[in-house]
Amino acid sequence: MSWVILVIAGLFEIVWAIGLKYSEGFTRLWPSVGTIVAMLISIGLLGMAMKSLPVGTAYAIWVGVGMVGTAILGMILFNEAVTLIRLASLLLIVIGIVGLKLSS
């Protein structure tokens, strides 16, 4: 169950990272509120997952899920560059996440 909680925490990390963009530096009320709520949920779920998972593995996977998801949504929502090197780098992160999961 800790792995499921960790992945959900990573998904909320994506929400708050994208929310930061929409909040425009916390100058827009509702995007700012949503971002802060997503941050609290993400950190709270990460803490729950860390009760039974190794801290290094849990934190790295949390960051990795957030990083990959945020980068992909950045390309989709904000027309950020989609290049071969960028996609290959994201694939390497995914491989690292899978490797950490398999080694735990």
Side-chain angles (χ1 to χ4, degrees):
M1 189 63 174
S2 294
W3 289 105
V4 172
I5 291 170
L6 182 60
V7 170
I8 294 169
L11 295 175
F12 273 98
E13 184 185 5
I14 297 166
V15 171
W16 70 254
I18 296 297
L20 283 174
K21 181 75 169 173
Y22 285 113
S23 76
E24 297 179 8
F26 294 107
T27 60
R28 296 180 60 213
L29 177 63
W30 293 114
S32 297
V33 169
T35 299
I36 292 168
V37 168
M39 285 177 173
L40 293 171
I41 293 169
S42 181
I43 297 283
L45 291 173
L46 175 62
M48 288 173 53
M50 282 187 176
K51 287 181 182 178
S52 61
L53 297 175
V55 66
T57 300
Y59 185 73
I61 290 175
W62 178 71
V63 169
V65 168
M67 192 177 357
V68 170
T70 302
I72 291 170
L73 281 179
M75 290 180 233
I76 294 168
L77 298 174
F78 307 118
N79 296 317
E80 294 176 2
V82 180
T83 63
L84 186 58
I85 189 73
R86 193 166 193 187
L87 295 174
S89 298
L90 291 173
L91 179 61
L92 289 171
I93 294 167
V94 170
I95 291 168
I97 291 169
V98 171
L100 286 170
K101 166 65 171 107
L102 293 175
S103 68
S104 293

